[in-house]
Amino acid sequence: MADAAALYALIGAVGGAVVGAGGAVLGPLLLHRRQAAERRETLLRQEERERAQQRREDDLLRRQQEFDLRVAEADRRVAAEREEAAETRARQSAVTDRLRLMRSTTRAWHLLLDDTLGELMRDRPVDHEEFSREWRAARNAVNDAFDAALHDGLWFAHSRAVGTLMGRGSMLQAIRRNDHGVDVTTLGEALSSATYAVTQCVEAGSPLPEELLAQAQAELRQLRVARESLGAHIVGRLAALGVEVERPGQGSAP
């Protein structure tokens, strides 16, 4: 009996030692595992936060890029509109300059004829060669102005360029493009006829033969009518371009 009790006591002691030793080993192992799990969970949460932050940054970058594209497109449209507006202003300015040049050159030629006849009517001598140089210079200026006016659908009664342009259809294209083709051949003929009549008066000298004077005055009246027709067209075109036109003085050539 004593032996059995001793055996049980020994077994109990050994078991306790084993349990104690197991606890000493198992406790730290479980703690290590729990800490490792906590670290993994912490790392997972950190990685998720980093991914969320990256998604936000990517979204912000995408939005910024979209905004930059919209701004660039808006800038491109504004630049294109400005360029188009500048081209339109340049075209309008060129048309305005051509219209004014037609008006001023025909006025200068007309005034030369009026003034010359006026001098003769006041019995003042007019040098034939000087007058010839002046009216030829005036004619050349008018021809140059109306050569440029072909861009605007206007053609003039002089030989240079007209035949060629008619042959290749440039005038018809100008009319279709501008929708305001005008034939000012009558003005060209009136300038030519009035110049011829005043030249005859210059050659005749003072006192002027009444027949030559009457013919010159009649031709100048026809010239005024032809210029008034052109002037009305020019005023209408300039008004369409938004350009104010100075009105001629009472009794002066337009």
Side-chain angles (χ1 to χ4, degrees):
M1 235 12 217
D3 291 338
L7 180 59
Y8 290 144
L10 178 60
I11 292 172
V14 171
V18 170
V19 171
V25 173
L26 185 59
L29 179 61
L30 294 175
L31 177 62
H32 176 73
R33 288 180 176 178
R34 185 171 61 254
Q35 290 174 340
E38 290 175 352
R39 284 195 298 272
R40 284 196 299 274
E41 186 177 351
T42 300
L43 288 174
L44 289 174
R45 287 196 299 268
Q46 179 63 29
E47 289 175 356
E48 179 58 31
R49 285 194 297 270
E50 291 176 354
R51 285 193 294 271
Q53 180 63 25
Q54 186 63 48
R55 286 193 296 271
R56 287 192 295 270
E57 292 177 357
D58 290 344
D59 184 60
L60 287 174
L61 178 60
R62 177 183 58 79
R63 293 184 180 184
Q64 182 63 45
Q65 290 173 339
E66 291 176 351
F67 175 77
D68 291 342
L69 287 174
R70 288 195 298 272
V71 170
E73 177 62 20
D75 290 343
R76 186 196 64 77
R77 286 197 300 269
V78 169
E81 290 171 357
R82 287 177 178 172
E83 182 178 357
E84 183 178 357
E87 291 176 353
T88 300
R89 287 193 299 271
R91 287 194 299 271
Q92 290 178 338
S93 177
V95 172
T96 300
D97 291 343
R98 289 193 294 267
L99 292 170
R100 284 176 166 166
L101 189 60
M102 286 187 291
R103 190 165 180 254
S104 64
T105 55
T106 55
R107 180 200 296 124
W109 193 350
H110 190 178
L111 289 176
L112 171 64
L113 299 179
D114 265 341
D115 292 345
T116 300
L117 187 62
E119 290 292 292
L120 292 171
M121 292 173 65
R122 288 187 289 272
D123 294 328
R124 295 175 181 174
V126 174
D127 183 85
H128 179 270
E129 291 186 1
E130 182 178 354
F131 171 69
S132 180
R133 285 193 298 270
E134 288 179 347
W135 78 255
R136 290 176 189 276
R139 179 198 60 188
N140 292 338
V142 168
N143 284 348
D144 289 341
F146 278 85
D147 279 343
L150 289 169
H151 291 288
D152 304 306
L154 287 152
W155 57 95
F156 190 55
H158 67 92
S159 60
R160 183 174 54 196
V162 173
T164 301
L165 289 168
M166 286 292 285
R168 67 187 184 205
S170 299
M171 286 185 177
L172 296 178
Q173 292 175 13
I175 295 170
R176 285 194 293 267
R177 182 173 63 251
N178 296 283
D179 194 30
H180 53 258
V182 175
D183 186 353
V184 288
T185 300
T186 301
L187 174 59
E189 294 172 347
L191 281 166
S192 179
S193 297
T195 301
Y196 178 75
V198 173
T199 300
Q200 284 188 308
C201 292
V202 171
E203 292 174 348
S206 299
L208 284 175
E210 291 185 4
E211 182 179 349
L212 289 180
L213 175 60
Q215 180 64 31
Q217 290 174 331
E219 295 293 353
L220 287 172
R221 285 193 295 271
Q222 291 298 319
L223 174 56
R224 179 179 293 276
V225 172
R227 283 199 58 241
E228 287 174 350
S229 177
L230 173 66
H233 170 78
I234 291 175
V235 169
R237 289 293 319 285
L238 290 175
L241 294 172
V243 179
E244 292 186 4
V245 183
E246 68 279 9
R247 296 295 178 179
Q250 184 69 27
S252 64

